Amino acid sequence: MLNEHIEAIVKSTLFKGIDKKELGLVMNCLCPRVSDYRKNEHIVLTGDSFIGLGLVLQGEATVIKENSAGKRIMMTILKQGDLFGEMIAFSHYSDWLASVQAQSDCTVMYLPKEKIISQCEHSCPWHRKLIENMLAILSEKALQLNKKVEYLTMKSIREKICTFLLDQYKMTGRATFMLPMNRNELADFLNVSRPSLSREMCKLRDEGVIDFHLATVRILDVKTLQTCLE
Amino acid sequence: MLNEHIEAIVKSTLFKGIDKKELGLVMNCLCPRVSDYRKNEHIVLTGDSFIGLGLVLQGEATVIKENSAGKRIMMTILKQGDLFGEMIAFSHYSDWLASVQAQSDCTVMYLPKEKIISQCEHSCPWHRKLIENMLAILSEKALQLNKKVEYLTMKSIREKICTFLLDQYKMTGRATFMLPMNRNELADFLNVSRPSLSREMCKLRDEGVIDFHLATVRILDVKTLQTCLE
DNA sequence: AAAAGTCGGTATCCTAGGTTACAAAAAGAA
DNA sequence: TTCTTTTTGTAACCTAGGATACCGACTTTT
């Protein structure tokens, strides 16, 4: 089983930094359950009891969350090497909070949470690495959600845009940079409508604060950009 | 140092489930740095290099985040037993992302992250518990942020209210329940203005979907409440 | 019990931004 | 190139909900 799926395992953040040669031992110790699913089949269902952290070895799947009224909303697309269930694995929940459905024929590996934190008799060095990776995965997840909350909490589109552009400015260190997504995706990320986003960006251009052409943006007046956030 | 601060340590989620008698050994192994701060003094500053997970042993402090324009926003109030820096400790960041300021005279303990994940020579049983707690803390944090994102993403106040009420209904299992916060806090949580929240709640009452008096709410028509979310 | 402070409901007014629809530009395919 | 598709910008229209202000009901203080 290992050889045919080694690619997915190596790709995943959970096994990052663990030597390829060691993976045999690791898997032997973790003895994960592996299951196959056909296209459109449900991999897990909301409310099913949680059996372990999921890792997509093969194929593509979607995470679907049902709201209080039962409406289904697609949350994420999972590809080879992606994890799911990482937020509930070590929480007080014992059931899945969302469903996962196969978009193509899929192979999924389940890692029981006890196996991840338990120190096996030999107290293998990679075990520590596994725990470290798990902590890093959860931390990054929380930070990413935190960032999202920050954007969603802003009241005006202008504030969202200015913050986003200043973030990009800081990250790239240049006044001229490329936006990492198209208008639709950006509007989605900021939780506003695409035309409203365009309208506001054009206003900023008319005011001489920024200039842009498609994905290329140049910040002309950092100070004014900052005053939008005060 | 242990005896005078045992209360805070026992209170904290990080040391939950570790026997009081063992705490001496635990602290001996973790050998945390402890620092005192005076009222209004900065405990950590955004950009300072991260030295370890913070635990408030005594006093009260506030977490203050600066946005891209440098505007300072109060994020949380930390009390005895509260942790800070748990999201960055195991992330790729090596600097603090927010500042912490003492609101009263404070004592703070710093736990280096290596000490938390390292297995000491004696491979103490409580070490595993510590890791488990750390994973639980991060998971719950991520889940809580996830919930917040869900609420913030909804476009209409009505949808937010209906979701909130259905959540409460599910949690309590009763059609009549008490709201866990007052109108101001609820408006804040849902990221809307208080009068708008009142207005919409009254509309729902006028339509016969719910009834309420102050904090007491009764759901009259679950189905209609659910259709708001579709 | 009078005074002061808090909390929730209500009315008015107004604007930011959603919706829809279309046109222009860019990118890709044939 | 030319045709098609996708991505943007723009304009017109309209409403959800923010801001503000005020009132009445309760609470707490003195």
Short mmCIF file of all heavy atoms in Angstrom, two decimals, chain A residues 29-88:
data_model
loop_
_atom_site.label_atom_id
_atom_site.label_comp_id
_atom_site.label_asym_id
_atom_site.label_seq_id
_atom_site.Cartn_x
_atom_site.Cartn_y
_atom_site.Cartn_z
N CYS A 29 3.92 1.88 12.23
CA CYS A 29 3.55 2.23 13.60
C CYS A 29 2.17 2.86 13.67
O CYS A 29 1.42 2.63 14.60
CB CYS A 29 4.61 3.20 14.13
SG CYS A 29 4.39 3.66 15.83
N LEU A 30 1.83 3.66 12.66
CA LEU A 30 0.53 4.34 12.68
C LEU A 30 -0.61 3.41 12.26
O LEU A 30 -1.76 3.64 12.59
CB LEU A 30 0.56 5.55 11.74
CG LEU A 30 1.45 6.72 12.13
CD1 LEU A 30 1.48 7.77 11.02
CD2 LEU A 30 0.96 7.37 13.42
N CYS A 31 -0.25 2.37 11.53
CA CYS A 31 -1.21 1.43 10.94
C CYS A 31 -2.58 2.06 10.66
O CYS A 31 -3.56 1.75 11.29
CB CYS A 31 -1.36 0.16 11.77
SG CYS A 31 -1.73 0.45 13.51
N PRO A 32 -2.60 2.97 9.65
CA PRO A 32 -3.82 3.68 9.32
C PRO A 32 -4.80 2.81 8.55
O PRO A 32 -4.39 1.85 7.89
CB PRO A 32 -3.32 4.80 8.41
CG PRO A 32 -2.11 4.24 7.76
CD PRO A 32 -1.50 3.28 8.73
N ARG A 33 -6.06 3.13 8.66
CA ARG A 33 -7.07 2.44 7.86
C ARG A 33 -7.12 3.15 6.51
O ARG A 33 -7.08 4.38 6.45
CB ARG A 33 -8.42 2.57 8.55
CG ARG A 33 -9.35 1.40 8.27
CD ARG A 33 -10.71 1.65 8.85
NE ARG A 33 -11.56 2.33 7.88
CZ ARG A 33 -12.76 2.83 8.19
NH1 ARG A 33 -13.20 2.78 9.43
NH2 ARG A 33 -13.49 3.40 7.26
N VAL A 34 -7.20 2.39 5.45
CA VAL A 34 -7.30 2.99 4.11
C VAL A 34 -8.59 2.51 3.46
O VAL A 34 -8.92 1.33 3.51
CB VAL A 34 -6.09 2.59 3.24
CG1 VAL A 34 -6.26 3.10 1.81
CG2 VAL A 34 -4.80 3.15 3.84
N SER A 35 -9.34 3.46 2.88
CA SER A 35 -10.60 3.08 2.23
C SER A 35 -10.70 3.68 0.84
O SER A 35 -10.18 4.76 0.58
CB SER A 35 -11.80 3.56 3.05
OG SER A 35 -11.78 3.01 4.35
N ASP A 36 -11.38 2.96 -0.03
CA ASP A 36 -11.63 3.46 -1.38
C ASP A 36 -13.08 3.90 -1.50
O ASP A 36 -13.96 3.32 -0.88
CB ASP A 36 -11.34 2.36 -2.41
CG ASP A 36 -9.86 2.05 -2.48
OD1 ASP A 36 -9.08 3.01 -2.62
OD2 ASP A 36 -9.49 0.86 -2.37
N TYR A 37 -13.29 4.92 -2.30
CA TYR A 37 -14.65 5.42 -2.53
C TYR A 37 -14.82 5.65 -4.02
O TYR A 37 -13.88 6.01 -4.72
CB TYR A 37 -14.88 6.72 -1.76
CG TYR A 37 -14.67 6.58 -0.28
CD1 TYR A 37 -13.41 6.78 0.28
CD2 TYR A 37 -15.72 6.24 0.56
CE1 TYR A 37 -13.20 6.64 1.65
CE2 TYR A 37 -15.53 6.09 1.94
CZ TYR A 37 -14.27 6.30 2.47
OH TYR A 37 -14.07 6.15 3.82
N ARG A 38 -16.07 5.49 -4.47
CA ARG A 38 -16.36 5.74 -5.88
C ARG A 38 -16.80 7.19 -6.04
O ARG A 38 -17.26 7.82 -5.08
CB ARG A 38 -17.49 4.83 -6.39
CG ARG A 38 -17.46 3.43 -5.85
CD ARG A 38 -17.76 2.45 -6.96
NE ARG A 38 -16.53 2.01 -7.60
CZ ARG A 38 -16.40 1.77 -8.92
NH1 ARG A 38 -17.41 1.97 -9.75
NH2 ARG A 38 -15.24 1.37 -9.42
N LYS A 39 -16.70 7.70 -7.21
CA LYS A 39 -17.14 9.06 -7.52
C LYS A 39 -18.54 9.31 -6.97
O LYS A 39 -19.43 8.46 -7.11
CB LYS A 39 -17.11 9.25 -9.04
CG LYS A 39 -17.52 10.65 -9.47
CD LYS A 39 -17.36 10.86 -10.95
CE LYS A 39 -17.94 12.24 -11.32
NZ LYS A 39 -17.74 12.58 -12.72
N ASN A 40 -18.71 10.46 -6.33
CA ASN A 40 -20.00 10.90 -5.75
C ASN A 40 -20.38 10.22 -4.45
O ASN A 40 -21.34 10.63 -3.80
CB ASN A 40 -21.15 10.76 -6.76
CG ASN A 40 -20.99 11.72 -7.91
OD1 ASN A 40 -20.47 12.82 -7.74
ND2 ASN A 40 -21.40 11.31 -9.09
N GLU A 41 -19.65 9.20 -4.06
CA GLU A 41 -19.94 8.53 -2.81
C GLU A 41 -19.57 9.44 -1.64
O GLU A 41 -18.65 10.26 -1.74
CB GLU A 41 -19.12 7.23 -2.74
CG GLU A 41 -19.59 6.24 -1.69
CD GLU A 41 -18.72 4.97 -1.69
OE1 GLU A 41 -17.95 4.77 -2.66
OE2 GLU A 41 -18.81 4.21 -0.72
N HIS A 42 -20.30 9.28 -0.52
CA HIS A 42 -19.95 10.05 0.67
C HIS A 42 -18.80 9.39 1.40
O HIS A 42 -18.84 8.20 1.68
CB HIS A 42 -21.16 10.16 1.60
CG HIS A 42 -22.11 11.22 1.17
ND1 HIS A 42 -21.86 12.57 1.37
CD2 HIS A 42 -23.28 11.16 0.52
CE1 HIS A 42 -22.86 13.27 0.87
NE2 HIS A 42 -23.74 12.45 0.34
N ILE A 43 -17.80 10.18 1.70
CA ILE A 43 -16.63 9.67 2.43
C ILE A 43 -16.92 9.70 3.92
O ILE A 43 -16.76 8.71 4.62
CB ILE A 43 -15.37 10.48 2.04
CG1 ILE A 43 -15.08 10.28 0.55
CG2 ILE A 43 -14.19 10.09 2.91
CD1 ILE A 43 -13.96 11.12 0.00
N VAL A 44 -17.35 10.87 4.40
CA VAL A 44 -17.90 10.93 5.76
C VAL A 44 -19.16 11.78 5.72
O VAL A 44 -19.33 12.61 4.83
CB VAL A 44 -16.91 11.53 6.80
CG1 VAL A 44 -15.60 10.80 6.81
CG2 VAL A 44 -16.68 13.01 6.55
N LEU A 45 -20.04 11.56 6.69
CA LEU A 45 -21.29 12.31 6.77
C LEU A 45 -21.33 13.10 8.06
O LEU A 45 -20.88 12.61 9.11
CB LEU A 45 -22.48 11.36 6.73
CG LEU A 45 -23.03 10.98 5.36
CD1 LEU A 45 -24.09 9.89 5.50
CD2 LEU A 45 -23.63 12.20 4.67
N THR A 46 -21.87 14.31 8.01
CA THR A 46 -22.05 15.10 9.21
C THR A 46 -22.77 14.26 10.26
O THR A 46 -23.80 13.67 9.96
CB THR A 46 -22.91 16.35 8.91
OG1 THR A 46 -22.32 17.06 7.82
CG2 THR A 46 -23.01 17.25 10.12
N GLY A 47 -22.20 14.21 11.45
CA GLY A 47 -22.84 13.46 12.52
C GLY A 47 -22.27 12.06 12.70
O GLY A 47 -22.42 11.47 13.76
N ASP A 48 -21.61 11.53 11.69
CA ASP A 48 -20.93 10.23 11.84
C ASP A 48 -19.88 10.36 12.92
O ASP A 48 -19.31 11.43 13.12
CB ASP A 48 -20.21 9.85 10.53
CG ASP A 48 -21.17 9.27 9.51
OD1 ASP A 48 -22.37 9.18 9.81
OD2 ASP A 48 -20.71 8.94 8.40
N SER A 49 -19.59 9.28 13.59
CA SER A 49 -18.60 9.41 14.65
C SER A 49 -17.20 9.46 14.03
O SER A 49 -16.88 8.73 13.10
CB SER A 49 -18.74 8.27 15.65
OG SER A 49 -17.95 7.19 15.28
N PHE A 50 -16.42 10.34 14.58
CA PHE A 50 -15.07 10.62 14.05
C PHE A 50 -14.15 9.45 14.30
O PHE A 50 -13.99 9.02 15.44
CB PHE A 50 -14.54 11.88 14.75
CG PHE A 50 -13.21 12.33 14.25
CD1 PHE A 50 -13.10 13.15 13.15
CD2 PHE A 50 -12.05 11.93 14.91
CE1 PHE A 50 -11.86 13.57 12.69
CE2 PHE A 50 -10.80 12.36 14.46
CZ PHE A 50 -10.72 13.17 13.35
N ILE A 51 -13.53 8.95 13.25
CA ILE A 51 -12.64 7.81 13.46
C ILE A 51 -11.18 8.17 13.31
O ILE A 51 -10.30 7.46 13.77
CB ILE A 51 -12.95 6.66 12.48
CG1 ILE A 51 -13.16 7.24 11.07
CG2 ILE A 51 -14.17 5.88 12.92
CD1 ILE A 51 -12.82 6.30 9.98
N GLY A 52 -10.91 9.30 12.68
CA GLY A 52 -9.52 9.71 12.57
C GLY A 52 -9.33 10.79 11.54
O GLY A 52 -10.19 11.05 10.71
N LEU A 53 -8.20 11.41 11.64
CA LEU A 53 -7.78 12.44 10.71
C LEU A 53 -7.75 11.87 9.29
O LEU A 53 -7.18 10.81 9.08
CB LEU A 53 -6.38 12.85 11.13
CG LEU A 53 -5.81 14.17 10.69
CD1 LEU A 53 -6.64 15.30 11.25
CD2 LEU A 53 -4.37 14.27 11.18
N GLY A 54 -8.35 12.56 8.33
CA GLY A 54 -8.36 12.05 6.96
C GLY A 54 -7.24 12.61 6.11
O GLY A 54 -6.86 13.77 6.25
N LEU A 55 -6.71 11.80 5.26
CA LEU A 55 -5.70 12.25 4.30
C LEU A 55 -6.05 11.68 2.93
O LEU A 55 -6.21 10.46 2.78
CB LEU A 55 -4.30 11.77 4.74
CG LEU A 55 -3.14 12.05 3.77
CD1 LEU A 55 -2.95 13.54 3.50
CD2 LEU A 55 -1.84 11.47 4.33
N VAL A 56 -6.20 12.55 1.96
CA VAL A 56 -6.56 12.12 0.61
C VAL A 56 -5.33 11.56 -0.09
O VAL A 56 -4.38 12.29 -0.35
CB VAL A 56 -7.14 13.29 -0.21
CG1 VAL A 56 -7.49 12.82 -1.62
CG2 VAL A 56 -8.37 13.88 0.47
N LEU A 57 -5.35 10.26 -0.36
CA LEU A 57 -4.21 9.61 -1.02
C LEU A 57 -4.34 9.70 -2.53
O LEU A 57 -3.35 9.76 -3.24
CB LEU A 57 -4.13 8.15 -0.59
CG LEU A 57 -3.80 7.88 0.88
CD1 LEU A 57 -3.85 6.39 1.17
CD2 LEU A 57 -2.43 8.44 1.23
N GLN A 58 -5.59 9.68 -2.98
CA GLN A 58 -5.82 9.61 -4.42
C GLN A 58 -7.17 10.22 -4.73
O GLN A 58 -8.14 9.98 -3.99
CB GLN A 58 -5.82 8.13 -4.85
CG GLN A 58 -5.69 7.91 -6.33
CD GLN A 58 -4.36 8.42 -6.87
OE1 GLN A 58 -4.35 9.39 -7.62
NE2 GLN A 58 -3.26 7.82 -6.46
N GLY A 59 -7.27 11.02 -5.80
CA GLY A 59 -8.55 11.56 -6.23
C GLY A 59 -8.85 12.92 -5.65
O GLY A 59 -7.97 13.57 -5.05
N GLU A 60 -10.09 13.35 -5.83
CA GLU A 60 -10.49 14.68 -5.40
C GLU A 60 -11.81 14.60 -4.65
O GLU A 60 -12.68 13.83 -5.03
CB GLU A 60 -10.64 15.58 -6.64
CG GLU A 60 -10.24 17.00 -6.40
CD GLU A 60 -10.22 17.80 -7.70
OE1 GLU A 60 -9.31 17.57 -8.51
OE2 GLU A 60 -11.13 18.63 -7.89
N ALA A 61 -11.96 15.41 -3.61
CA ALA A 61 -13.19 15.37 -2.82
C ALA A 61 -13.58 16.78 -2.40
O ALA A 61 -12.76 17.70 -2.44
CB ALA A 61 -12.99 14.50 -1.58
N THR A 62 -14.84 16.96 -2.02
CA THR A 62 -15.28 18.28 -1.55
C THR A 62 -15.78 18.17 -0.12
O THR A 62 -16.40 17.18 0.26
CB THR A 62 -16.42 18.85 -2.41
OG1 THR A 62 -17.44 17.85 -2.54
CG2 THR A 62 -15.94 19.26 -3.77
N VAL A 63 -15.50 19.21 0.66
CA VAL A 63 -16.03 19.31 2.02
C VAL A 63 -17.33 20.10 1.94
O VAL A 63 -17.35 21.20 1.39
CB VAL A 63 -15.04 20.02 2.96
CG1 VAL A 63 -15.64 20.15 4.36
CG2 VAL A 63 -13.72 19.28 3.00
N ILE A 64 -18.40 19.53 2.46
CA ILE A 64 -19.71 20.17 2.37
C ILE A 64 -20.28 20.36 3.76
O ILE A 64 -20.40 19.41 4.53
CB ILE A 64 -20.67 19.32 1.52
CG1 ILE A 64 -20.15 19.26 0.08
CG2 ILE A 64 -22.07 19.89 1.56
CD1 ILE A 64 -20.70 18.10 -0.70
N LYS A 65 -20.61 21.60 4.07
CA LYS A 65 -21.14 21.89 5.39
C LYS A 65 -22.63 22.17 5.29
O LYS A 65 -23.08 22.86 4.37
CB LYS A 65 -20.41 23.11 5.96
CG LYS A 65 -20.91 23.56 7.30
CD LYS A 65 -19.82 23.55 8.34
CE LYS A 65 -20.44 23.64 9.72
NZ LYS A 65 -19.51 24.06 10.73
N GLU A 66 -23.38 21.65 6.22
CA GLU A 66 -24.82 21.94 6.22
C GLU A 66 -25.11 22.98 7.30
O GLU A 66 -24.67 22.85 8.42
CB GLU A 66 -25.61 20.66 6.51
CG GLU A 66 -25.70 19.77 5.28
CD GLU A 66 -25.50 18.30 5.62
OE1 GLU A 66 -26.17 17.81 6.53
OE2 GLU A 66 -24.65 17.67 4.95
N ASN A 67 -25.86 24.01 6.92
CA ASN A 67 -26.19 25.02 7.94
C ASN A 67 -27.38 24.55 8.77
O ASN A 67 -27.91 23.46 8.57
CB ASN A 67 -26.42 26.38 7.30
CG ASN A 67 -27.71 26.45 6.49
OD1 ASN A 67 -28.52 25.55 6.53
ND2 ASN A 67 -27.85 27.51 5.74
N SER A 68 -27.79 25.39 9.73
CA SER A 68 -28.84 24.99 10.67
C SER A 68 -30.14 24.63 9.97
O SER A 68 -30.98 23.94 10.53
CB SER A 68 -29.10 26.12 11.67
OG SER A 68 -27.88 26.53 12.23
N ALA A 69 -30.33 25.12 8.77
CA ALA A 69 -31.57 24.82 8.06
C ALA A 69 -31.39 23.61 7.15
O ALA A 69 -32.32 23.17 6.50
CB ALA A 69 -32.00 26.02 7.24
N GLY A 70 -30.18 23.08 7.12
CA GLY A 70 -29.94 21.91 6.29
C GLY A 70 -29.43 22.24 4.89
O GLY A 70 -29.19 21.35 4.08
N LYS A 71 -29.24 23.52 4.61
CA LYS A 71 -28.72 23.91 3.30
C LYS A 71 -27.25 23.51 3.18
O LYS A 71 -26.47 23.74 4.09
CB LYS A 71 -28.87 25.43 3.12
CG LYS A 71 -28.59 25.91 1.71
CD LYS A 71 -28.69 27.43 1.68
CE LYS A 71 -28.08 28.00 0.42
NZ LYS A 71 -27.83 29.45 0.54
N ARG A 72 -26.89 22.93 2.05
CA ARG A 72 -25.53 22.44 1.88
C ARG A 72 -24.64 23.48 1.19
O ARG A 72 -24.99 23.98 0.12
CB ARG A 72 -25.54 21.14 1.08
CG ARG A 72 -26.27 20.00 1.81
CD ARG A 72 -26.76 18.94 0.84
NE ARG A 72 -25.67 18.40 0.04
CZ ARG A 72 -24.91 17.38 0.41
NH1 ARG A 72 -25.11 16.79 1.58
NH2 ARG A 72 -23.96 16.93 -0.38
N ILE A 73 -23.51 23.77 1.78
CA ILE A 73 -22.60 24.75 1.20
C ILE A 73 -21.22 24.11 1.00
O ILE A 73 -20.67 23.52 1.92
CB ILE A 73 -22.46 25.98 2.12
CG1 ILE A 73 -23.82 26.66 2.28
CG2 ILE A 73 -21.44 26.97 1.56
CD1 ILE A 73 -23.90 27.53 3.51
N MET A 74 -20.69 24.26 -0.19
CA MET A 74 -19.37 23.69 -0.46
C MET A 74 -18.31 24.56 0.20
O MET A 74 -18.27 25.76 -0.01
CB MET A 74 -19.15 23.65 -1.98
CG MET A 74 -18.22 22.55 -2.42
SD MET A 74 -16.58 23.19 -2.67
CE MET A 74 -16.77 23.79 -4.35
N MET A 75 -17.47 23.94 0.97
CA MET A 75 -16.48 24.70 1.72
C MET A 75 -15.11 24.68 1.05
O MET A 75 -14.50 25.72 0.86
CB MET A 75 -16.33 24.12 3.14
CG MET A 75 -17.61 24.05 3.93
SD MET A 75 -18.27 25.69 4.30
CE MET A 75 -17.11 26.24 5.54
N THR A 76 -14.63 23.51 0.74
CA THR A 76 -13.28 23.38 0.18
C THR A 76 -13.21 22.23 -0.81
O THR A 76 -14.05 21.34 -0.79
CB THR A 76 -12.25 22.99 1.27
OG1 THR A 76 -12.86 22.95 2.54
CG2 THR A 76 -11.07 23.91 1.26
N ILE A 77 -12.21 22.27 -1.64
CA ILE A 77 -11.91 21.14 -2.50
C ILE A 77 -10.64 20.49 -1.97
O ILE A 77 -9.65 21.18 -1.71
CB ILE A 77 -11.71 21.60 -3.96
CG1 ILE A 77 -13.00 22.23 -4.48
CG2 ILE A 77 -11.28 20.43 -4.84
CD1 ILE A 77 -12.88 22.81 -5.88
N LEU A 78 -10.70 19.21 -1.77
CA LEU A 78 -9.53 18.49 -1.26
C LEU A 78 -8.85 17.75 -2.41
O LEU A 78 -9.52 17.08 -3.20
CB LEU A 78 -9.96 17.46 -0.21
CG LEU A 78 -10.66 17.97 1.04
CD1 LEU A 78 -11.20 16.81 1.86
CD2 LEU A 78 -9.71 18.82 1.87
N LYS A 79 -7.54 17.90 -2.50
CA LYS A 79 -6.78 17.18 -3.52
C LYS A 79 -5.79 16.23 -2.85
O LYS A 79 -5.70 16.20 -1.64
CB LYS A 79 -6.03 18.18 -4.41
CG LYS A 79 -6.95 19.28 -4.92
CD LYS A 79 -6.53 19.83 -6.24
CE LYS A 79 -7.65 20.72 -6.78
NZ LYS A 79 -7.47 21.10 -8.15
N GLN A 80 -5.09 15.53 -3.69
CA GLN A 80 -4.10 14.57 -3.18
C GLN A 80 -3.16 15.22 -2.16
O GLN A 80 -2.61 16.28 -2.40
CB GLN A 80 -3.28 14.04 -4.35
CG GLN A 80 -2.41 12.86 -3.96
CD GLN A 80 -1.58 12.38 -5.12
OE1 GLN A 80 -0.88 13.17 -5.75
NE2 GLN A 80 -1.64 11.09 -5.39
N GLY A 81 -3.03 14.59 -1.03
CA GLY A 81 -2.14 15.08 0.01
C GLY A 81 -2.82 16.01 1.01
O GLY A 81 -2.23 16.39 2.01
N ASP A 82 -4.08 16.37 0.73
CA ASP A 82 -4.78 17.28 1.65
C ASP A 82 -5.37 16.54 2.84
O ASP A 82 -5.80 15.40 2.73
CB ASP A 82 -5.90 18.02 0.90
CG ASP A 82 -5.36 19.10 -0.01
OD1 ASP A 82 -4.19 19.49 0.17
OD2 ASP A 82 -6.10 19.55 -0.91
N LEU A 83 -5.39 17.25 3.96
CA LEU A 83 -5.95 16.71 5.20
C LEU A 83 -7.38 17.17 5.39
O LEU A 83 -7.76 18.24 4.94
CB LEU A 83 -5.16 17.24 6.40
CG LEU A 83 -3.83 16.62 6.76
CD1 LEU A 83 -3.25 17.38 7.95
CD2 LEU A 83 -4.01 15.16 7.10
N PHE A 84 -8.17 16.39 6.09
CA PHE A 84 -9.47 16.90 6.55
C PHE A 84 -9.77 16.36 7.94
O PHE A 84 -9.27 15.31 8.33
CB PHE A 84 -10.58 16.59 5.55
CG PHE A 84 -10.82 15.13 5.26
CD1 PHE A 84 -11.78 14.42 5.97
CD2 PHE A 84 -10.10 14.50 4.26
CE1 PHE A 84 -12.01 13.07 5.69
CE2 PHE A 84 -10.32 13.15 3.98
CZ PHE A 84 -11.28 12.43 4.70
N GLY A 85 -10.55 17.14 8.68
CA GLY A 85 -10.87 16.73 10.04
C GLY A 85 -9.82 17.15 11.04
O GLY A 85 -9.88 16.77 12.21
N GLU A 86 -8.86 17.97 10.60
CA GLU A 86 -7.77 18.35 11.50
C GLU A 86 -8.27 19.22 12.66
O GLU A 86 -7.71 19.19 13.74
CB GLU A 86 -6.65 19.04 10.74
CG GLU A 86 -6.92 20.44 10.24
CD GLU A 86 -7.70 20.46 8.92
OE1 GLU A 86 -8.20 19.40 8.50
OE2 GLU A 86 -7.82 21.55 8.33
N MET A 87 -9.37 19.97 12.42
CA MET A 87 -9.85 20.84 13.50
C MET A 87 -10.61 20.07 14.58
O MET A 87 -10.58 20.46 15.75
CB MET A 87 -10.75 21.94 12.94
CG MET A 87 -9.98 23.01 12.19
SD MET A 87 -10.92 24.53 12.04
CE MET A 87 -12.06 24.10 10.74
N ILE A 88 -11.29 19.00 14.21
CA ILE A 88 -12.03 18.27 15.24
C ILE A 88 -11.22 17.18 15.92
O ILE A 88 -11.53 16.79 17.05
CB ILE A 88 -13.34 17.63 14.72
CG1 ILE A 88 -13.24 17.23 13.26
CG2 ILE A 88 -14.53 18.53 14.97
CD1 ILE A 88 -14.47 16.49 12.80
#
